[in-house]
Amino acid sequence: DTAVSQTPKYLVTQMGNDKSIKCEQNLGHDTMYWYKQDSKKFLKIMFSYNNKELIINETVPNRFSPKSPDKAHLNLHINSLELGDSAVYFCASSQDMRGYTFGSGTRLTVV
Amino acid sequence: QKEVEQDPGPLSVPEGAIVSLNCTYSNSAFQYFMWYRQYSRKGPELLMYTYSSGNKEDGRFTAQVDKSSKYISLFIRDSQPSDSATYLCAMSALISSASKIIFGSGTRLSIRP
């Protein structure tokens, strides 16, 4: 059983399209996150939800909209995709400050 | 200045060598200090975490934290080719009832057989 699962694994799409990435965790954690990893491997936090409530919202274009229907799911919708959005997007969950469990990532390529 | 600084490498050492990976940080609010390992095209996996200054050992891995110098290290003894990966240091602080982890930029490590 995968602890944190993301779909899709790969996403290739044209500029201007709208796309969604889904994330589910079966660890019973209260908090979920979206991170973006650029081509230089730098991981930057985008959003955090605690029990379906938005807790952290970093400086992210409002084309990115997270949604948490319940504490086990956190989806990310991206409108009007741009070339600069190409990256690997990681979902993660945690119960406390001692570390996250990451999904395997969604590799987004905007052409 | 970035909150967490990490030498990106790449670092290449022969099998069996001792590896030392380091990070510095600027925010005194960080409470937990972690090391993650990331293989190519995989998600980061938590290797170790520490809370206070001092050493913590787990098999061939030792994590060291010096809060007074704002400096953390990861030592790998008897390095193996399977240790080849990107190593990310990370630190967490509590923000509005949720933990926020800030990552270093990662050090790419290669162990030569």
Side-chain angles (χ1 to χ4, degrees), chain A residues 11 13-19 63-64 78-86 89 108 110:
Chain A
L11 190 50
T13 188
Q14 289 190 323
M15 277 176 56
N17 282 351
D18 303 340
K19 289 292 177 188
R63 297 181 295 103
F64 291 79
I78 316 170
N79 289 329
S80 305
L81 277 154
E82 300 177 358
L83 292 176
D85 298 332
S86 296
Y89 292 84
L108 172 65
V110 182

Side-chain angles (χ1 to χ4, degrees), chain B residues 65-79:
Chain B
V65 174
D66 181 348
K67 282 189 172 181
S68 61
S69 303
K70 294 192 175 70
Y71 187 87
I72 72 169
S73 301
L74 177 71
F75 297 97
I76 307 174
R77 288 187 302 282
D78 187 25
S79 55

Side-chain angles (χ1 to χ4, degrees), chain B residues 11-31:
Chain B
L11 182 60
S12 178
V13 301
E15 184 175 353
I18 296 175
V19 176
S20 170
L21 305 167
N22 312 294
C23 288
T24 58
Y25 63 96
S26 56
N27 189 345
S28 301
F30 289 134
Q31 295 177 278

Side-chain angles (χ1 to χ4, degrees), chain B:
Chain B
Q1 184 194 6
K2 283 185 187 171
E3 281 188 282
V4 179
E5 299 272 5
Q6 183 176 8
D7 186 340
L11 182 60
S12 178
V13 301
E15 184 175 353
I18 296 175
V19 176
S20 170
L21 305 167
N22 312 294
C23 288
T24 58
Y25 63 96
S26 56
N27 189 345
S28 301
F30 289 134
Q31 295 177 278
Y32 281 89
F33 303 88
M34 291 148 275
W35 285 95
Y36 283 80
R37 178 175 61 197
Q38 186 175 20
Y39 291 114
S40 183
R41 296 191 175 255
K42 300 282 188 188
E45 56 173 325
L46 180 65
L47 272 178
M48 298 177 72
Y49 71 87
T50 51
Y51 178 68
S52 55
S53 284
N55 292 355
K56 183 175 180 179
E57 196 173 307
D58 184 0
R60 296 184 295 110
F61 297 87
T62 299
Q64 201 171 73
V65 174
D66 181 348
K67 282 189 172 181
S68 61
S69 303
K70 294 192 175 70
Y71 187 87
I72 72 169
S73 301
L74 177 71
F75 297 97
I76 307 174
R77 288 187 302 282
D78 187 25
S79 55
Q80 306 291 310
S82 58
D83 295 328
S84 299
T86 297
Y87 289 79
L88 301 135
C89 64
M91 301 161 196
S92 66
L94 196 61
I95 297 178
S96 302
S97 77
S99 69
K100 177 179 175 180
I101 293 184
I102 307 295
F103 285 85
S105 52
T107 300
R108 206 150 43 96
L109 174 66
S110 175
I111 309 296
R112 306 188 303 269

Side-chain angles (χ1 to χ4, degrees), chain A residues 7-107:
Chain A
T7 53
K9 275 182 144 17
Y10 300 94
L11 190 50
V12 181
T13 188
Q14 289 190 323
M15 277 176 56
N17 282 351
D18 303 340
K19 289 292 177 188
S20 291
I21 308 172
K22 297 188 176 203
C23 179
E24 175 181 3
Q25 55 101 358
N26 62 7
L27 298 166
H29 289 167
D30 287 335
T31 311
M32 296 184 72
Y33 308 81
W34 280 111
Y35 274 80
K36 179 180 179 181
Q37 188 170 48
D38 60 25
S39 57
K40 293 187 178 166
K41 294 284 197 179
F42 185 60
L43 265 168
K44 188 166 165 41
I45 191 167
M46 300 172 70
F47 302 103
S48 168
Y49 270 74
N50 184 272
N51 254 318
K52 304 193 296 174
E53 183 186 345
L54 181 64
I55 298 295
I56 295 171
N57 184 350
E58 293 292 297
T59 310
V60 176
N62 56 17
R63 297 181 295 103
F64 291 79
S65 51
K67 278 195 175 50
S68 181
D70 56 61
K71 78 172 195 178
H73 294 84
L74 180 62
N75 305 322
L76 183 65
H77 188 75
I78 316 170
N79 289 329
S80 305
L81 277 154
E82 300 177 358
L83 292 176
D85 298 332
S86 296
V88 182
Y89 292 84
F90 284 101
C91 176
S93 72
S94 74
Q95 190 57 30
D96 53 40
M97 296 173 65
R98 288 175 288 178
Y100 299 170
T101 302
F102 281 87
S104 55
T106 296
R107 188 171 293 271

